[in-house]
């Protein structure tokens, strides 16, 4: 049988780990959406470079941005901060890129940005770019709430921490 002190210490360690996990999970949506943007931008860059287009630099830059977001998100496990500096920068860049590409596509430049598509896919492309812009905007809003401790999840964390 373990000494009583050891049991209390184990319980405290479990609660501390639970609190750390709760802080880390506060950013879970960012990690999932960043993974989606990573693979979309990766595929887009591969296809553009495969067709010899220098426009492939745009998704490549966005790929570097997703890498930075991933590093910042992994650091959230060890550093319990609500600062999302690089994450916010990336989602602004993704939002602006989606809007610029959407405008270019709407103005007849579909073949520049998507040389593998034809005009019949224009509504689909515009809707996907619009969805990407909406998601980026939503994540910017979520990041703002988190940075100002106005998200719902922080209240659960504070209640749990108060009961430890």
């Amino acid at each position: 049988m373990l000494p009583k002190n050891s049991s209390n210490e184990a319980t405290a360690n479990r609660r501390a780990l639970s609190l750390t996990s709760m802080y880390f999970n506060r950013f879970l949506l960012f990690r999932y959406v960043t993974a989606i943007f990573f693979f979309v931008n990766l595929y887009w860059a591969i296809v553009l470079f495969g067709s010899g287009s220098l426009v492939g630099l745009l998704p490549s830059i966005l790929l570097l941005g997703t890498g930075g977001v991933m590093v910042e998100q992994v650091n959230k496990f060890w550093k319990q901060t609500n600062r999302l500096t690089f994450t916010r920068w990336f989602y602004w860049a993704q939002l602006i890129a989606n809007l610029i590409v959407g405008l270019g596509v709407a103005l007849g430049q579909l073949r520049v940005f998507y040389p593998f598509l034809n005009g019949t896919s224009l509504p689909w492309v515009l809707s996907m770019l619009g969805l990407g812009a909406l998601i980026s905007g939503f994540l910017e809003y979520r990041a703002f709430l988190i940075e100002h401790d106005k998200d719902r999840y922080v209240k659960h964390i504070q209640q749990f921490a108060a009961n430890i």
Side-chain angles (χ1 to χ4, degrees):
M1 183 166 206
L2 292 172
K4 190 168 187 101
N5 226 4
S6 177
S7 177
N8 289 341
E9 187 175 311
T11 301
N13 287 340
R14 278 194 306 270
R15 288 185 177 167
L17 181 60
S18 293
L19 189 60
T20 300
S21 295
M22 288 177 81
Y23 273 108
F24 188 62
N25 289 337
R26 186 178 183 192
F27 307 99
L28 193 61
L29 180 63
F30 294 100
R31 291 193 296 276
Y32 281 124
V33 174
T34 300
I36 292 168
F37 276 125
F38 173 82
F39 287 109
V40 168
N41 288 326
L42 177 65
Y43 177 74
W44 187 30
I46 289 170
V47 171
L48 284 174
F49 282 130
S51 70
S53 175
L54 286 178
V55 177
L57 291 174
L58 176 60
S60 298
I61 291 168
L62 293 171
L63 276 172
L64 292 174
T66 58
V69 171
M70 290 176 194
V71 168
E72 184 175 66
Q73 292 298 314
V74 167
N75 284 334
K76 294 295 179 199
F77 190 76
W78 293 281
K79 296 177 186 172
Q80 295 176 356
T81 175
N82 62 349
R83 299 300 306 160
L84 293 164
T85 307
F86 204 82
T87 300
R88 293 199 68 192
W89 173 88
F90 167 74
Y91 280 106
W92 274 118
Q94 184 72 54
L95 174 69
I96 291 167
N98 279 33
L99 293 175
I100 290 171
V101 172
L103 182 63
V105 167
L107 294 175
Q109 300 300 311
L110 178 68
R111 302 293 270 159
V112 171
F113 295 105
Y114 302 98
F116 50 93
L117 296 176
N118 59 29
T120 60
S121 58
L122 183 64
W124 183 83
V125 169
L126 287 174
S127 64
M128 290 297 107
L129 288 167
L131 179 63
L134 286 173
I135 291 170
S136 295
F138 174 72
L139 289 177
E140 278 296 327
Y141 173 70
R142 290 278 306 213
F144 174 84
L145 291 177
I146 288 172
E147 285 188 335
H148 293 89
D149 286 329
K150 294 184 178 184
D151 60 313
R152 284 185 282 157
Y153 203 71
V154 75
K155 291 177 182 126
H156 298 294
I157 295 170
Q158 290 168 343
Q159 287 174 347
F160 182 81
N163 293 330
I164 291 183

